[in-house]
Amino acid sequence: MKKWIQAGLEKKQSPLSIKHWIATVLTLDGRDKFTKVLQYSCRLLGWYFAALALAARSSVAGGSSVGGGMLQQQQFYQALSTRFTSLYKSLVTSRKAFRMGRSVIEWDKIRSMGWGHYLGYFLSHPLEEGAVKDANNEIEDCGDGVGEGNRHSFK
């Protein structure tokens, strides 16, 4: 039995292998997860350096040490905090763009199922009276192949 375990461990690749990371980041969900890890890491580091800057500022104000060195250290921590916080904010925007790409994929799936005309009609005429009846007639009259075989009745 030890031979089986040892043979399995010899075949198992390290999770730190670059091939696995590349394969993960090439997918939309993998890219989103990787960006989420970076986003929250930057947020944590931003908070950490802001706390260090606050501690350095309070020690400078208290006069417990030589003011020049502590003031430079406080400015350094504050600059790091600002950079990590701005990187966090830009990663938030990037993740929103990734999620928008996911909605385009879902819209294409809906359209390929034959529901595209129906949903498109509702998006362009949301407040009309009898929209369900008109959309139903539009689906039945469609002869372009998209709604073929998918005749739905909403009565």
Side-chain angles (χ1 to χ4, degrees):
M1 188 116 130
K2 278 187 166 183
K3 292 180 185 179
W4 290 10
I5 294 173
Q6 187 176 2
L9 290 175
E10 288 173 1
K11 291 181 182 179
K12 184 139 179 94
Q13 295 180 354
S14 170
L16 301 176
S17 172
I18 193 73
K19 290 180 184 179
H20 296 292
W21 287 99
I22 291 173
T24 301
V25 173
L26 285 178
T27 64
L28 188 63
D29 288 332
R31 193 175 311 131
D32 183 50
K33 289 177 198 276
F34 184 72
T35 309
K36 184 189 292 187
V37 168
L38 287 177
Q39 173 188 340
Y40 288 113
S41 298
C42 288
R43 188 178 207 182
L44 178 69
L45 288 171
W47 285 341
Y48 175 72
F49 286 118
L52 287 178
L54 187 63
R57 183 184 310 148
S58 65
S59 66
V60 167
S64 64
S65 174
V66 178
M70 289 301 279
L71 183 64
Q72 285 179 346
Q73 191 176 24
Q74 184 248 340
Q75 290 172 348
F76 177 70
Y77 289 148
Q78 189 61 42
L80 283 176
S81 173
T82 303
R83 284 189 177 200
F84 279 116
T85 302
S86 64
L87 181 58
Y88 162 76
K89 290 177 182 178
S90 66
L91 289 171
V92 167
T93 306
S94 299
R95 289 191 60 226
K96 287 179 184 178
F98 296 153
R99 287 192 297 270
M100 185 177 70
R102 185 177 298 145
S103 66
V104 170
I105 292 170
E106 293 300 321
W107 175 259
D108 186 51
K109 286 180 184 177
I110 289 171
R111 188 184 56 80
S112 68
M113 290 188 320
W115 287 77
H117 290 295
Y118 179 71
L119 291 176
Y121 185 83
F122 268 122
L123 290 175
S124 62
H125 303 91
L127 300 176
E128 282 189 12
E129 285 276 331
V132 172
K133 189 164 94 176
D134 292 342
N136 195 15
N137 290 338
E138 186 176 321
I139 288 174
E140 289 177 6
D141 293 340
C142 153
D144 61 354
V146 176
E148 297 285 327
N150 290 325
R151 309 266 188 239
H152 300 284
S153 176
F154 297 100
K155 296 177 184 178

